[in-house]
Amino acid sequence: MENDGLDSFEDSTHFKFDIIIPKRVKISGLQNIELTAVNNNAINSGWHSFCIFSQGGTVFDLKAHGKNNANSFVLKQGTDLIDYELWIKAAGGTETRIIPMTSYQNWLGSISKDCQNNIQNNMELEVRIQSGSLTNTSAGVYKDTVTIIVEAV
């Protein structure tokens, strides 16, 4: 505002600006999984909840693979192998069997970066071993490490 002593003057200008919000995803809340025997000698982990955040709660791509084999999920002890299945679903939703390194885009991400400190997780994961996969296996501890990859769409 200027004032030359006689009158007041105002001036204004307009400008535009852009804000760029990047596509982001984050996975949290996954922990080591223990397997227990269920009926008919099959084994599973039960459902374990975790969080996948995506900017704005949009859909995300998800794929997974095991450390022991890029093409199938197998637990390993020495040279002995046990096939297992990896199942995933949105919390309370329909389950999908994950095929290694196959991309899935069935779910919406959380709008909270960590699902309210992993109290309101939006995804669930289960490991299953069919009874037929356990025949002719040696006693011991079998292990695998699964990598889950999420990508902003």
Side-chain angles (χ1 to χ4, degrees), residues 67-124:
K67 181 178 179 180
N68 294 329
N69 187 318
N71 300 315
S72 63
F73 291 114
V74 293
L75 296 168
K76 184 176 181 181
Q77 174 191 256
T79 58
D80 293 336
L81 304 174
I82 299 174
D83 293 325
Y84 69 92
E85 301 168 356
L86 188 62
W87 291 78
I88 195 166
K89 66 180 179 176
T94 303
E95 58 192 45
T96 299
R97 182 176 175 187
I98 299 295
I99 306 302
M101 295 312 293
T102 299
S103 187
Y104 297 88
Q105 192 182 85
N106 299 334
W107 311 282
L108 295 175
S110 170
I111 59 172
S112 168
K113 286 185 191 173
D114 59 1
C115 294
Q116 304 297 328
N117 293 320
N118 294 108
I119 295 170
Q120 298 175 350
N121 286 337
N122 62 334
M123 300 297 294
E124 296 181 70

Side-chain angles (χ1 to χ4, degrees), residues 28-43:
S28 63
L30 280 172
Q31 300 175 1
N32 291 341
I33 294 175
E34 292 185 26
L35 302 172
T36 56
V38 294
N39 57 5
N40 300 326
N41 296 322
I43 294 176

Side-chain angles (χ1 to χ4, degrees), residues 76-82 134-143:
K76 184 176 181 181
Q77 174 191 256
T79 58
D80 293 336
L81 304 174
I82 299 174
L134 298 172
T135 57
N136 299 323
T137 55
S138 302
V141 177
Y142 291 76
K143 295 181 179 184

